[in-house]
Amino acid sequence: MRERDEGRGMSRRRMLGIGGALGLMAATGLSTAAALARRPSITGAELRSAVPLPPPFQVPLPIPLALTPVSTAGGTDRYEITQREASAEILPGIRTPLWTYEGTFPGPTIESRRGRPVTVTHRNELPVPTVVHLHGGRTPPTSDGYPTDFVLPEGWHDATLHGSAHGMHDPRAVVSKLTRDYTFPLDQRPTLLWYHDHRMDFTAPAIWRGLAGLHIVRDDAEDALGMPEGPRELPLMIADRAFAADGTLAYPALDPTLRERPGVHEPYLAGVLGDVILVNGAPWPVHEVDTARYRLRVLNASNARHYELEAVTDDGRRLDLVQIGADQGLLAAPITHQTLPIAPAERYDVIIDFSGIPVGGRVRLVNRLGSGRTRDVMAFDVARHVTDDSRIPGTLSTDLPTWRRTDAVSVRDFSFRAGRMHGGHGWLIGGLPFDPARADVTTHLGDVEVWRLIADVHHPVHLHLVGFRVLSRSGRPPLPHDAGLKDTISLRPGEAAEIITRFDGYRGRYLFHCHNAEHEDMAMMANIEIS
Ligand code: C2O
Ligand code: CU
Ligand code: CU
């Protein structure tokens, strides 16, 4: 297990050292080649499961069920989700206790139409406070899942109401008891969103235990394009996990109750990786397909693991991955990739064509960044010969924003680096740990801004509320997979990137943060105040 050794063997001092050196190099403009030579290939350390792992491609790919609204009256779809403990047979023959939305992992999928509002009443029957965030949603601040806007479980003591080991008190927090209504206008481009826990200091272990689900937004224009649909549209939530000897999910939490003390044991400060790759909650699953095009809506819901996806046939041929969409919806035109890197929280909408594969053939989706068991992701078994009338139009959308540098009223710089906080290890933005009371960015509704982001190790940087476009990477044009409208950008070690966005939609307090969930919990978040 090469990755594990690298991750584990990296002492904190060495990790900080690498971060510092890379940051310095980037800031002083040393050559990319010099930075590349020192790039750590992985950010995080791998946990190893203590149970025997099943062979790959045995378990059928589950498709999370669509949630039925409790009401569709008055132009709003209303849903109810209970957050509760449940268990599932993830590895064959082994029961794994989970924290779930509505009893399953992934949670139920919410299917929406653009501009048709959705209200979800979440009920917290878990033993800890929770917070729901719809990732990629253009959502008013009161429903955006600010990390201190807790939904408290029954009987949670007031003393820990604003509970944070760092003693933070957030007077602006809106705390609810037991239930909370989240309202999502969904007045936004159609795309795959996902909802997940966002509790202050405890997001990473909560997602790891199962608090994640999909939310798809569609519209008539997209439906009319003639792309693969129905059973030929597959959501793929990819997430790594590790299993303890008793079947529970292993996680190196300092406080396994997740009630008081946040954080992970030292070897995992850079991120927690698992040795089992789950797709829609199943280990290395297999799915039977027709000789036809399929639309794969891929989400990396892992805490820290990056993937570089590739579709390979039995005889070693690579199938094209035709990207049609990014985090925030359709591209202007399709882009053909051979491999597709995906960082935590990123989504890619991809079409893959199985029509050239003989019935009985297999196509494996592999992760070129993995090794050993983590190299496999899932497989598609070609089972039926059909004629396919789907298509991939040359023009997919014409409504992508075209902000230019000259539109920007501010240019801001943010570093994403390791550092010290509260006497321990932290991950900092602009040298500072997260503080709910500090407005890191103050902007006005409608302002266009350019942000320059610079990283020491891998940091997938996510902005709430808005989509952005990538302007450059380390002074060069963006990469092919940076196309379209994004809400998460994968910064690689030593890399600087420029993004441009317009703060549009709602006034209020929003977040931006690293979506390596362990970094996020170790203070790599900041506030955007839109007035
Ligand atoms: Cu997916 Cu603030 O998060
Ligand atoms: Cu988000
Ligand atoms: Cu990070």
Side-chain angles (χ1 to χ4, degrees), residues 133-136 196 198 462-464 513 515:
H133 170 61
L134 178 61
H135 181 123
H196 60 74
H198 218 305
H462 168 51
L463 273 63
H464 284 213
H513 61 88
H515 221 293

Side-chain angles (χ1 to χ4, degrees), residues 423-441:
H425 176 277
W427 292 99
L428 312 179
I429 300 178
L432 298 171
F434 180 60
D435 179 352
R438 186 182 63 234
D440 300 274
V441 170

